[in-house]
Amino acid sequence: MKKEFLWGSSISAGQCEGGFESRSETVVDMIPQGKTTRFQYLNHPGKYLEEQEGFFPSRKGVEFYEHYREDIALYAKMGLKALRFSILWSRVFKDDSLTPNEEALAFYDDVINELLKYGIEPIITTIHFDMPLWVVKKYNGFVNRQVISLYQHYIETIVNRYHDRVKYWISYCEINVMNHALYMVGGTVLKESEDRDSVLLQCAYHKLIGNAILVRTCHEVDKDLKVGCEVAGTPTYPLTSSPLDYQLMMNEERRDTRFTDVMVKGKIPYYFRKELNDHGIDILEEDENLFKNNTLDFIAVSYYKTSLASHEGVKDNPLLETTPFGWTIDPKGMRIMLNKMYERYEVPIMIVENGLGTYDKIEDGKIHDDYRIDYLSKHIEQMEKAMDDGVEVIGYLTWAAMDVVSTSEGMMSKRYGFIYVDRNDDGSGTLKRYPKDSFYWYQNLILEKSGKKE
Ligand code: BG6
């Protein structure tokens, strides 16, 4: 393991930042808490964006905005070498006026400086399911080509401000999750008269242009900046040896590789070109040149689970155990995913999310989360096997550094962190932070793996 390997963790603004009064709303601020997946919110034609009844957990998050010094001190105590966080576009630009909010920029200055003070590498995601609501209301998100220039202005603002201190940039969180979360990832609300696939493909095409512009912007400012985009790495196995299941698996994989092929190879693959053509999406020569000349330096990937392709559609693998939230647990799938990705692209891979979302119990200020330690150890073991296979992995960042509002359900009680945050599903709680057993385990692991332990 190289000395500079980034052992770290991740958080996102929309799930932890809060500070609602000093910014404008994001897409997740508008999704009420609910047990059915929030990824699906506004996903069907006929639903329109309007103020809903209910409790909106993302508006408060876990108040990282107020607690960031204390939180970063805890991350430093844990020994994190890297922290991935997202900047809120809706804090930097509260609306589509061209002048950024200086108070917001100063806040992120502080966050970055605080991380650097402890030797923690800051890794920035420019949008993590937290697109400004004004982009949705006024432009209907990435389906509208005009949004690319708004995004460009936003990223130029933050890259110019932070490039001297931030080397790693990630355009978007899980671009491929847009396949089933058009509103949360694309910022687009589907209208009744519209064909979902056409809208999705148009959004995807525009987001890919935005990604290439981030690569160009960063490299123009400093050729040593490293740019990635996060994809959800969810391998699909065929249910049986039937050629039909294999074909279905291949189709499923292409829904993801259509993004990475463009971003890493700089070329629209034939199957994606066909889809775009079939749906009447214009492919401009200038866009193709942009893709070609601005490819990613690394792939950022999240890994949580795997699934099965069968004639009944995509389903869960009955041979695998699941978390209390029904997510399959498949550490070996991590090695497979990393090998497949590296075989196809041969660029460095940074794991930017991996973790167990489950209920924790706090007793006398202690949280004995041996189940989380077990989950993470098994995944790290498989990552190391993939590295022995020859895959170039440059970092392992868990989800999440501390408990945050879950994306799917908007719940606090689905916890992923090394640090327990005293906040309940109904928003009550002191917001006090408590290191879990896994905090000390990770602290020790980082020391050992970095050769700093006798
Ligand atoms: C990833 C997202 O998809 O999964 C995170 O990038 C999210 O935002 C994580 O929190 C875990 O999912 P969930 O729904 O359990 O919070």
Side-chain angles (χ1 to χ4, degrees):
M1 179 102 23
K2 289 190 182 155
K3 219 174 83 252
E4 57 275 18
F5 187 85
L6 296 169
W7 290 102
S9 199
S10 291
I11 50 175
S12 87
Q15 293 170 268
C16 78
E17 206 174 273
F20 190 59
E21 283 68 38
S22 48
R23 61 177 174 84
S24 68
E25 299 106 324
T26 76
V27 291
V28 279
D29 289 325
M30 304 309 289
I31 310 183
Q33 188 175 55
K35 288 216 165 71
T36 53
T37 175
R38 301 195 315 156
F39 280 119
Q40 305 294 333
Y41 191 70
L42 293 187
N43 219 9
H44 302 289
K47 293 201 178 173
Y48 296 96
L49 188 64
E50 57 206 24
E51 188 76 31
Q52 305 278 327
E53 293 286 308
F55 172 58
F56 301 89
S58 296
R59 295 182 186 182
K60 188 166 184 187
V62 290
E63 286 294 353
F64 177 75
Y65 189 70
E66 283 167 8
H67 291 253
Y68 69 96
R69 285 210 173 83
E70 173 197 346
D71 290 338
I72 293 172
L74 280 171
Y75 305 159
K77 187 171 173 201
M78 210 184 343
L80 296 191
K81 293 180 154 195
L83 180 82
R84 167 181 169 237
F85 64 99
S86 64
I87 288 189
L88 268 194
W89 183 356
S90 73
R91 185 178 292 289
V92 178
F93 289 96
K94 293 190 194 180
D95 52 40
D96 60 354
S97 67
L98 293 176
T99 321
N101 169 13
E102 181 50 39
E103 193 187 321
L105 293 172
F107 166 66
Y108 295 114
D109 269 329
D110 277 358
V111 170
I112 293 165
N113 293 343
E114 202 66 15
L115 289 168
L116 293 173
K117 181 173 105 187
Y118 295 109
I120 303 175
E121 182 87 48
I123 301 175
I124 289 179
T125 310
T126 74
I127 311 181
H128 189 128
F129 305 158
D130 42 29
M131 191 126 79
L133 194 66
W134 60 261
V135 176
V136 182
K137 285 194 160 161
K138 197 154 174 194
Y139 302 92
N140 203 22
F142 269 101
V143 73
N144 185 341
R145 196 170 172 119
Q146 271 177 279
V147 170
I148 300 172
S149 36
L150 298 169
Y151 177 66
Q152 181 169 354
H153 183 53
Y154 159 58
I155 56 173
E156 282 171 358
T157 307
I158 57 174
V159 171
N160 285 328
R161 177 89 172 205
Y162 307 123
H163 70 90
D164 57 336
R165 287 159 288 160
V166 180
K167 177 176 172 192
Y168 293 98
W169 293 81
I170 294 173
S171 54
Y172 317 115
C173 170
E174 297 180 333
I175 187 170
N176 52 332
V177 166
M178 192 160 61
N179 290 333
H180 58 272
L182 197 49
Y183 169 68
M184 207 188 261
V185 185
T188 295
V189 182
L190 201 61
K191 301 190 181 62
E192 219 150 355
S193 54
E194 289 175 325
D195 169 52
R196 187 176 190 281
D197 283 345
S198 305
V199 173
L200 171 68
L201 289 166
Q202 187 66 80
C203 274
Y205 184 76
H206 290 158
K207 279 202 97 163
L208 289 167
I209 297 173
N211 173 75
I213 293 177
L214 177 69
V215 177
R216 188 181 66 194
T217 307
C218 287
H219 289 166
E220 274 173 7
V221 168
D222 177 350
K223 63 176 177 23
D224 292 332
L225 297 187
K226 301 287 177 212
V227 188
C229 176
E230 184 189 3
V231 289
T234 312
T236 311
Y237 309 129
L239 174 67
T240 69
S241 53
S242 138
L244 176 65
D245 285 355
Y246 194 88
Q247 174 74 53
L248 292 168
M249 174 197 82
M250 207 167 85
N251 295 350
E252 199 49 41
E253 285 180 346
R254 283 181 173 177
R255 283 159 56 81
D256 296 337
T257 53
R258 59 188 177 186
F259 295 99
T260 29
D261 282 354
V262 176
M263 296 189 295
V264 187
K265 294 183 174 175
K267 198 171 152 238
I268 302 176
Y270 73 94
Y271 60 90
F272 188 31
R273 187 179 295 277
K274 167 100 177 49
E275 268 188 301
L276 293 170
N277 286 337
D278 287 352
H279 288 83
I281 312 292
D282 289 335
I283 303 173
L284 308 186
E285 202 183 324
E286 64 188 77
D287 300 337
E288 295 211 69
N289 287 334
L290 185 80
F291 295 145
K292 188 165 139 221
N293 298 323
N294 298 284
T295 53
L296 295 179
D297 299 304
F298 68 97
I299 303 176
V301 67
S302 64
Y303 180 80
Y304 291 95
K305 55 187 177 182
T306 53
S307 54
L308 288 181
S310 86
H311 57 283
E312 291 161 353
V314 175
K315 53 197 261 184
D316 285 336
N317 189 338
L319 300 180
L320 297 173
E321 278 177 47
T322 55
T323 71
F325 286 83
W327 293 29
T328 54
I329 304 177
D330 186 3
K332 289 195 174 73
M334 163 94 103
R335 179 180 183 182
I336 295 169
M337 181 273 293
L338 290 170
N339 270 283
K340 282 185 88 168
M341 191 171 266
Y342 196 64
E343 181 179 292
R344 194 173 182 113
Y345 301 113
E346 292 207 28
V347 295
I349 301 175
M350 189 190 290
I351 297 165
V352 295
E353 289 185 40
N354 174 231
L356 174 67
T358 191
Y359 300 103
D360 284 330
K361 206 156 102 202
I362 180 158
E363 282 167 315
D364 299 329
K366 304 230 174 336
I367 302 93
H368 303 302
D369 57 342
D370 46 320
Y371 37 88
R372 183 166 293 108
I373 296 172
D374 181 62
Y375 179 100
L376 294 172
S377 313
K378 287 183 174 146
H379 283 80
I380 291 173
E381 193 184 323
Q382 293 299 321
M383 172 189 74
E384 289 178 326
K385 286 196 171 156
M387 292 170 82
D388 285 345
D389 296 335
V391 179
E392 192 186 350
V393 184
I394 56 172
Y396 175 81
L397 315 180
T398 69
W399 187 263
M402 62 184 173
D403 294 341
V404 296
V405 174
S406 81
T407 295
S408 313
E409 305 86 357
M411 285 165 69
M412 269 310 296
S413 55
K414 184 187 195 184
R415 296 176 182 273
Y416 283 89
F418 293 120
I419 300 163
Y420 184 95
V421 179
D422 179 22
R423 189 183 178 212
N424 304 311
D425 285 339
D426 63 4
S428 63
T430 59
L431 289 175
K432 194 166 177 307
R433 276 70 166 148
Y434 300 87
K436 303 179 190 177
D437 286 359
S438 57
F439 176 103
Y440 299 105
W441 165 81
Y442 201 46
Q443 181 186 52
N444 196 47
L445 179 132
I446 296 174
L447 282 175
E448 257 178 35
K449 302 279 181 192
S450 323
K452 289 202 182 136
K453 195 142 188 230
E454 309 283 288

